[in-house]
Amino acid sequence: QVQLQQSGPGLVKPSQTLSLTCTVSGGSISSGAYYWSWIRQHPGKGLEWIGYVYYSGSTYYNPSLKSRVSISIDTSQNQFSLKLSSVTAADTAVYYCARDDRLPSGGPAGYLDYWGQGTLVTVSS
Amino acid sequence: DIQMTQSPSSLSASIGDRVIITCRASQGINNSLAWYQQKAGKAPNLLLYAASRLHSGVPSRFSGSGSGTDYSLTVSSLQPEDFATYYCHQYYSSPWTFGQGTKVEIK
């Protein structure tokens, strides 16, 4: 059974960079069978998709965050990471990592079938 | 971006009730729609994808239908563990977007 375990600080100062890591167990990231996504949820609000990474390192980001976000992958550690720079209070949210199936044609299927436990990140001085 | 509008935003229902939640996309999404259930303090769980395909392990009382811009999630007989917030999610066009959620509460 695949599991996604998130790690990273829950408090980040304004203007600094938010960094989170998602470690996958029960399957190999380098299999190429899946894409790996980050999603966030502002307190009491809905969900916002941030972006995804493939085992090759290729990425796609939500244009609303593209200038500040970076998602990377470390196949040797079976983990992928999120960096969000120049954070403000508006970036306070619960951040989730998730797995996305891969289509036979090669692209992401889009639906997210396994999720990490979530990390509340508060941006405050 | 494709806007996803769910209705209602909340509802009260009793055990055994049939519940229907709808989701309207701002443009056609060709059945590229998923539904998730989220309980307080937990991550969302995938219920259905491709509008009507049940994810592995999800009870058959959950079903989905729709086409074009209009989709629905039906719970045929509400169980105590079904009280939660439900989200629709379109993955037809990037950036993927979600509905605002429908909270199902106990009447």
Side-chain angles (χ1 to χ4, degrees):
Chain A
Q1 176 80 341
V2 64
Q3 290 189 321
L4 283 68
Q5 181 69 37
Q6 298 178 218
S7 58
L11 181 64
V12 181
K13 289 182 166 50
S15 79
Q16 294 192 342
T17 296
L18 176 161
S19 295
L20 296 172
T21 295
C22 185
T23 301
V24 179
S25 59
S28 174
I29 275 187
S30 56
S31 71
Y34 303 99
Y35 285 73
W36 305 94
S37 280
W38 287 95
I39 304 95
R40 70 180 182 178
Q41 186 170 33
H42 292 100
K45 302 293 185 182
L47 298 153
E48 179 181 26
W49 175 73
I50 297 171
Y52 64 65
V53 64
Y54 193 47
Y55 85 103
S56 61
S58 64
T59 55
Y60 190 89
Y61 304 133
N62 190 324
S64 68
L65 296 168
K66 186 176 181 179
S67 62
R68 298 193 293 129
V69 71
S70 174
I71 300 175
S72 59
I73 196 161
D74 184 344
T75 55
S76 67
Q77 299 293 318
N78 222 40
Q79 60 188 205
F80 61 107
S81 299
L82 168 71
K83 291 187 186 299
L84 183 66
S85 63
S86 305
V87 297
T88 70
D91 295 308
T92 293
V94 176
Y95 287 76
Y96 294 100
C97 60
R99 190 182 83 168
D100 181 0
D101 209 350
R102 176 183 175 272
L103 293 170
S105 59
Y111 52 87
L112 304 163
D113 59 357
Y114 287 94
W115 295 61
Q117 80 276 22
T119 302
L120 173 60
V121 178
T122 301
V123 179
S124 174
S125 55
Chain B
D1 299 4
I2 296 177
Q3 305 303 313
M4 305 299 291
T5 304
Q6 282 182 238
S7 61
S9 55
S10 66
L11 64 90
S12 296
S14 300
I15 302 300
D17 282 356
R18 180 183 180 91
V19 168
I20 299 175
I21 298 168
T22 64
C23 185
R24 173 165 287 178
S26 59
Q27 65 186 74
I29 57 172
N30 195 32
N31 288 357
S32 297
L33 184 95
W35 290 96
Y36 302 87
Q37 176 193 71
Q38 185 179 34
K39 296 183 179 179
K42 301 293 187 181
N45 284 320
L46 178 66
L47 298 174
L48 297 113
Y49 61 98
S52 61
R53 294 190 177 185
L54 210 61
H55 180 52
S56 174
V58 174
S60 59
R61 63 180 180 274
F62 291 94
S63 63
S65 64
S67 63
T69 60
D70 295 322
Y71 298 85
S72 63
L73 169 70
T74 298
V75 187
S76 61
S77 178
L78 205 62
Q79 298 302 300
E81 61 268 30
D82 300 337
F83 292 94
T85 300
Y86 294 83
Y87 292 94
C88 62
H89 163 213
Q90 72 80 20
Y91 50 90
Y92 176 73
S93 173
S94 297
W96 302 329
T97 49
F98 296 82
Q100 81 279 14
T102 295
K103 187 173 185 178
V104 177
E105 299 175 302
I106 301 173
K107 183 183 283 185

